[in-house]
Amino acid sequence: MKKYLLLLLAVSTAAVLSAAPLRQPNPIRQHGKEEGMILDLNKITLGTLNDVEEKKQYLSTVQLEKQRIQNYMLRQVYENAYTLYRRGDYQRAQEMAQTILSIDPNFTQASTLAKQASHMGAYGTISESEVIEAKFQEANRMYDSGRLVEANEKLDEILTIQPHNSKALAWKKRIDKDIAQEYSRRGNVAYDEQDYQRALDNWYNALLIRKDDPTLVNKIAQTENLLRKQQVKEAMEEAMSYYNQGRFVESYTVFERITKIQPGDTRVQKYMSQLKDEIANSYFTAGNKSFNAQKYDSAISYWTNAKKWGADASYMDRLIKKARNAKEEALRRKQEAARRAAEEAEKAEEEQLDEPIETVTVEGGLGVPGEGTPTLGPDGNTVAQGIGGGATRVSAEASAASRQKYIEGLDAFNQDDYERARAAWIVAKQLDPGNTDADLGLRKVEELTGIR
């Protein structure tokens, strides 16, 4: 925002100066028309901007138009700054040139003008010829040492100060010719080495200077064709390599790149059509395998990709719906089983609390009460019947451990891990033979799996 405020300030200042009494008979040149500065968006056919690439294209177009307007306004400011310089108002010329540079630091003419205006403000107008002569000598030294581009830039500085300097114009024409010859030579060397891209880069640079050279234009056209053939050949080899490795998606991507280099190639279009079918079939087959393995999310993903690659959309939609229904049904069954197990466990626990304390009848044995008498230890713990009629004490610790094993088994059961649940409940019964919850769990596992 600050940049554009500076630009508007500079333009308004330029407008005031151009209308001031000091104005010379030759007015400051104005380029273009104001109405031509604004992009007529009604003439742009972008359609509905529902695609990412279309949005990028639109934003890029707007950005380019903003840049064009900025360049137009900066050029106006520069021409007014140069007019001030020619009138001898070096301070304001320098200020306006600095304003341009704060917006566009790469505006080389503004940079040269700012330096020259500063120099002239310090030493007076009589020193301009000395400055020009010094720049000529520097350009000559650069030219003699083969630094043609730098010599050319130095001549541009002279022409910024004196646009009609005949000596600078003549030298620049000569140097431009030498630069074009050098670019052309480098292009020829690159062409002989079959580095067609480097050859084209150099020849295009030469063409910027030798715009009407038909020989150069023909060489560029022929080399562009050779480069396309070279790129297509390399890309075809890459695509076929991916295809032979079974990497169909990568192969298809390379073929797409070929169509941008050489549109309308029927052979490439045939390969792409075959690849689309193979990719779609691969996704379809993978989806079937996932569905049969009850991996419903993977199946949905595979079938969705198959549809993107050209598989029958209505058939894929039916399969996707089937997988979603199966997923919901599996989830429902799992939740129902967990709910029933939890209810049965809760019911069994309530029944156990409501039942009176069971007695253990022991048939004989040393120091054992007679038949029908509950077997209790001195600490009040239940004594369970042991092997051969002996009594086995179930301590509070064993009872707690048995209960913990029952909970572990219940957690495994809710995760459909029936084997782990059965093992935990067997241990619970071993710790406390009177653990009725473990009994119920084992019976449930037997019903579901048939394992005793």
Side-chain angles (χ1 to χ4, degrees):
M1 180 60 72
K2 182 179 179 182
K3 179 173 74 172
Y4 288 104
L5 287 173
L6 286 170
L7 183 56
L8 289 172
L9 177 61
V11 171
S12 61
T13 303
V16 171
L17 291 171
S18 62
L22 290 174
R23 184 166 179 166
Q24 297 295 326
N26 294 325
I28 298 172
R29 290 179 293 141
Q30 303 293 330
H31 293 284
K33 296 182 180 179
E34 191 170 322
E35 58 269 19
M37 290 168 55
I38 307 302
L39 178 65
D40 188 355
L41 296 180
N42 294 326
K43 295 180 181 178
I44 297 179
T45 307
L46 292 178
T48 55
L49 299 179
N50 54 4
D51 181 79
V52 175
E53 290 302 321
E54 287 180 344
K55 290 177 181 178
K56 287 181 179 179
Q57 179 185 355
Y58 177 78
L59 293 174
S60 176
T61 304
V62 172
Q63 187 61 38
L64 286 171
E65 182 62 17
K66 287 170 64 178
Q67 186 64 45
R68 189 174 73 86
I69 294 170
Q70 176 179 298
N71 292 341
Y72 173 86
M73 297 178 73
L74 288 178
R75 175 55 56 182
Q76 277 192 316
V77 175
Y78 172 77
E79 290 184 356
N80 284 283
Y82 181 74
T83 299
L84 289 172
Y85 171 82
R86 298 312 305 171
R87 293 176 183 171
D89 194 343
Y90 303 123
Q91 182 177 351
R92 283 193 289 179
Q94 182 185 2
E95 290 172 357
M96 292 183 72
Q98 291 293 352
T99 300
I100 295 170
L101 292 172
S102 67
I103 298 169
D104 183 3
N106 297 319
F107 201 125
T108 54
Q109 289 178 301
S111 176
T112 301
L113 186 64
K115 292 176 183 177
Q116 182 62 18
S118 174
H119 181 84
M120 296 298 291
Y123 299 105
T125 57
I126 194 171
S127 64
E128 182 178 273
S129 59
E130 297 174 357
V131 171
I132 296 297
E133 183 58 32
K135 289 183 181 296
F136 268 124
Q137 291 176 6
E138 191 172 357
N140 189 47
R141 285 195 298 270
M142 290 175 177
Y143 180 82
D144 291 340
S145 61
R147 296 156 61 188
L148 302 180
V149 175
E150 293 174 74
N152 211 21
E153 290 173 353
K154 192 59 62 176
L155 292 172
D156 284 336
E157 292 180 9
I158 296 172
L159 292 171
T160 297
I161 301 169
Q162 294 181 355
H164 304 294
N165 189 300
S166 58
K167 182 179 177 181
L169 289 171
W171 266 89
K172 186 170 177 59
K173 185 176 180 180
R174 176 180 175 181
I175 291 177
D176 282 344
K177 183 179 178 181
D178 291 342
I179 291 174
Q181 287 177 347
E182 178 60 21
Y183 276 130
S184 183
R185 184 193 66 80
R186 292 180 184 181
N188 293 338
V189 172
Y191 180 86
D192 292 339
E193 296 172 354
Q194 296 187 351
D195 189 346
Y196 301 130
Q197 185 60 63
R198 185 159 59 91
L200 287 169
D201 291 341
N202 281 285
W203 286 339
Y204 274 120
N205 283 329
L207 191 64
L208 290 173
I209 301 170
R210 289 158 47 183
K211 297 180 176 62
D212 300 323
D213 188 334
T215 303
L216 191 56
V217 171
N218 290 334
K219 288 169 69 174
I220 288 174
Q222 292 172 8
T223 307
E224 287 279 12
N225 190 41
L226 287 173
L227 179 62
R228 276 195 301 272
K229 289 181 179 178
Q230 185 184 66
Q231 290 173 337
V232 168
K233 180 183 176 183
E234 292 172 355
M236 283 291 292
E237 291 173 356
E238 183 183 2
M240 295 309 298
S241 175
Y242 282 138
Y243 181 85
N244 293 332
Q245 297 172 43
R247 297 164 64 181
F248 299 145
V249 175
E250 290 95 329
S251 179
Y252 187 89
T253 302
V254 177
F255 278 122
E256 278 189 323
R257 194 169 76 231
I258 294 173
T259 60
K260 294 178 181 178
I261 301 170
Q262 188 168 296
D265 190 316
T266 55
R267 180 183 54 161
V268 172
Q269 291 173 353
K270 183 178 178 181
Y271 275 125
M272 292 177 70
S273 178
Q274 293 174 350
L275 272 172
K276 284 188 70 175
D277 290 341
E278 294 198 43
I279 293 169
N281 288 333
S282 297
Y283 278 125
F284 171 71
T285 303
N288 290 342
K289 289 181 180 179
S290 294
F291 182 85
N292 293 333
Q294 299 182 359
K295 296 178 180 178
Y296 302 118
D297 287 333
S298 295
I300 291 169
S301 176
Y302 284 131
W303 286 333
T304 300
N305 280 320
K307 184 169 65 171
K308 290 178 181 177
W309 284 95
D312 188 296
S314 59
Y315 183 47
M316 292 300 106
D317 287 337
R318 289 198 297 272
L319 290 177
I320 290 168
K321 184 177 180 180
K322 180 180 177 181
R324 285 174 178 159
N325 291 338
K327 177 184 175 183
E328 292 174 1
E329 179 62 23
L331 181 61
R332 187 193 64 76
R333 287 200 304 268
K334 184 176 180 180
Q335 291 173 342
E336 181 63 22
R339 183 187 64 78
R340 286 200 304 269
E343 287 177 354
E344 291 175 2
E346 184 178 357
K347 182 178 178 181
E349 188 174 355
E350 290 175 354
E351 290 175 353
Q352 185 179 16
L353 292 174
D354 292 340
E355 290 177 357
I357 299 175
E358 296 183 1
T359 60
V360 179
T361 302
V362 182
E363 298 178 357
L366 183 62
V368 178
E371 185 178 352
T373 306
T375 306
L376 300 175
D379 57 358
N381 289 325
T382 302
V383 178
Q385 185 176 359
I387 298 174
T392 303
R393 183 183 302 277
V394 179
S395 65
E397 290 81 358
S399 178
S402 176
R403 189 66 186 166
Q404 181 62 35
K405 278 294 178 182
Y406 167 73
I407 293 171
E408 289 180 16
L410 184 60
D411 180 63
F413 183 86
N414 289 334
Q415 297 180 38
D416 297 337
D417 191 346
Y418 302 129
E419 184 62 33
R420 189 160 61 90
R422 179 174 176 275
W425 286 337
I426 288 173
V427 174
K429 285 289 294 178
Q430 291 172 347
L431 291 168
D432 183 3
N435 191 331
T436 57
D437 291 340
D439 278 333
L440 288 172
L442 288 169
R443 286 201 295 273
K444 188 65 179 176
V445 170
E446 182 180 340
E447 291 173 8
L448 293 173
T449 63
I451 300 174
R452 292 180 178 274

